[in-house]
Amino acid sequence: MNDDTVLLHTEGHTLHITLNRPRALNALTHAMVRRVDEGLTAAEQDDSVVAVVISGAGERGLCAGGDIRSIHDDARAGGEASLVFWRDEYRLNARIARFPKPYVALMDGIVMGGGVGVSAHGDVRIVTERSRVAMPETGIGFVPDVGGTYLLASAPGELGTHLALTGQAIGAADAVLCGLADHFVPSERLRDLTAALTGSTGPDEVVRTVRAHASQAPEGELATHRAWIDSCYAADTVEEIIDRLNGSGVTAAKETAETLLAKSPTALKVTLAAVRRARHLDSLEAVLDQEYRVSSRAFCAPDLVEGVRAQIIDKDRDPKWHPAGLADVTEADVARYFAPLGEQELGLGSPA
């Protein structure tokens, strides 16, 4: 691994961070996380740098998430490298959210999982007509992390719960609606926007420049489904959510129930609890601490290895979840995912 996987260059008053693994859809490795953090340190200490812009190499997307194959192999081997990776990744997510200079994320194309973590915590988040934003973890036996439960818990109504459980990918307008993005800029204008940002001399000018290139996003889909989403996902349990979806009389809701039944039962129940708990935590840092507890437990559970095998490696799309049914996942099973880690706590939030 070398530094070519993340390119750093300063042009004018802007530091450009480019995730540079286009053949892997710029999936994040531990070395890439550390390199992005180094770039932020340099930008923070350089008074001539007014803003940071992060983008992805290639035409397919900013970042498809973490390097799932590596995580699978590590979990299967009983390793701990992924836990160390997540510690640094979650700390980077928190740093992005508190970065003292404008952090502009070009969320063009696919932005999923860890890609959301390095973009949606920024203060200037730009989507295009090609954007597909998602937290798809339940489909691989995992749970939304990188601050995803913090973001989704803050979405209007129960939209965040819907996205967390289904892993549905959304476009530009829906990303703005859900608070995952701020501005729509057509992809054909990104080059001009990036060039214009290099001349910005202060935070206010950065915002004005982005707004000058932005326009109204094409109509989204979620707003028209708010009624049944808010009603069905207000239920207390995953089982009741599915019952409400099936009994709603809405075709899209029934299809969503089928989607949920294909996900890991454990991941669904833990995800619902994680989003609900995140609503009552006082900061992103506290939520990241919670997510680290959950991720650490999920890493040792069978569904993550099996989910990645079925979806990414063998691609048979036929995971054998354990336990196999929602009824077999007890409240005690879910609670164990949130138990303190002792000396292994991430420790970003204030002490309890």
Side-chain angles (χ1 to χ4, degrees):
M1 178 65 65
N2 57 50
D3 288 345
D4 288 347
T5 57
V6 174
L7 305 178
L8 305 176
H9 78 279
T10 301
E11 186 173 351
H13 297 288
T14 301
L15 172 68
H16 295 269
I17 300 176
T18 305
L19 306 181
N20 189 38
R21 293 182 71 208
R23 294 180 64 180
L25 251 171
N26 302 316
L28 292 173
T29 64
H30 198 170
M32 292 171 71
V33 165
R34 289 194 293 253
R35 181 68 168 158
V36 172
D37 191 63
E38 291 171 4
L40 294 184
T41 296
E44 189 168 352
Q45 295 175 351
D46 188 342
D47 291 340
S48 70
V49 172
V50 168
V52 171
V53 176
I54 189 166
S55 61
E59 297 295 324
R60 298 167 63 197
L62 170 66
C63 175
D67 192 330
I68 295 299
R69 284 178 178 265
S70 295
I71 293 170
H72 166 275
D73 294 347
D74 188 32
R76 190 175 183 185
E80 296 183 349
S82 298
L83 302 179
V84 180
F85 163 57
W86 287 329
R87 291 185 77 89
D88 285 346
E89 183 182 25
Y90 297 0
R91 289 180 181 277
L92 176 63
N93 302 145
R95 183 178 191 182
I96 289 169
R98 310 300 181 206
F99 197 66
K101 299 179 181 182
Y103 182 98
V104 182
L106 304 184
M107 302 170 69
D108 186 32
I110 292 175
V111 186
M112 296 184 178
V116 173
V118 296
S119 59
H121 297 298
D123 47 5
V124 184
R125 304 161 302 172
I126 296 166
V127 282
T128 75
E129 77 283 355
R130 302 188 298 202
S131 295
R132 301 301 294 167
V133 183
M135 297 297 295
E137 287 78 6
T138 56
I140 58 167
F142 199 52
V143 177
D145 64 337
V146 299
T149 60
Y150 175 84
L151 294 165
L152 294 175
S154 301
E158 295 293 339
L159 292 180
T161 309
H162 171 68
L163 296 180
L165 294 182
T166 63
Q168 178 182 336
I170 56 175
D174 288 334
V176 173
L177 171 64
C178 292
L180 301 175
D182 304 300
H183 306 281
F184 171 77
V185 176
S187 58
E188 63 184 15
R189 296 185 196 169
L190 288 181
R191 187 183 298 273
D192 290 342
L193 169 61
T194 302
L197 286 171
T198 64
S200 298
T201 58
D204 291 342
E205 190 172 354
V206 169
V207 173
R208 286 196 298 270
T209 298
V210 171
R211 287 177 176 169
H213 289 77
S215 58
Q216 184 70 35
E219 187 174 354
E221 300 176 4
L222 289 179
T224 61
H225 297 299
R226 275 291 302 275
W228 65 261
I229 287 175
D230 286 353
S231 174
C232 294
Y233 286 95
D236 292 333
T237 67
V238 175
E239 290 94 332
E240 188 179 352
I241 288 172
I242 291 174
D243 286 345
R244 290 189 184 188
L245 291 168
N246 279 322
S248 68
V250 178
T251 299
K254 293 180 179 180
E255 292 172 349
T256 298
E258 294 178 5
T259 296
L260 292 179
L261 289 171
K263 310 294 185 183
S264 158
T266 300
L268 287 176
K269 288 199 170 184
V270 175
T271 295
L272 180 62
V275 173
R276 296 277 164 85
R277 288 172 178 240
R279 290 175 178 169
H280 301 289
L281 295 174
D282 62 3
S283 66
L284 169 62
E285 287 80 3
V287 174
L288 287 166
D289 284 346
Q290 173 176 275
E291 289 180 349
Y292 188 72
R293 296 179 197 118
V294 171
S295 297
S296 297
R297 270 45 183 264
F299 181 71
C300 299
D303 279 3
L304 175 59
V305 169
E306 173 61 8
V308 177
R309 179 207 64 76
Q311 304 295 344
I312 307 298
I313 297 175
D314 295 340
K315 298 182 180 179
D316 58 31
R317 307 292 193 264
D318 187 27
K320 307 301 182 186
W321 304 122
H322 181 76
L326 287 165
D328 299 319
V329 183
T330 68
E331 291 184 10
D333 293 333
V334 173
R336 279 193 285 272
Y337 279 75
F338 297 89
L341 295 171
E343 294 182 356
Q344 301 304 313
E345 283 283 320
L346 184 59
L348 285 175
S350 56

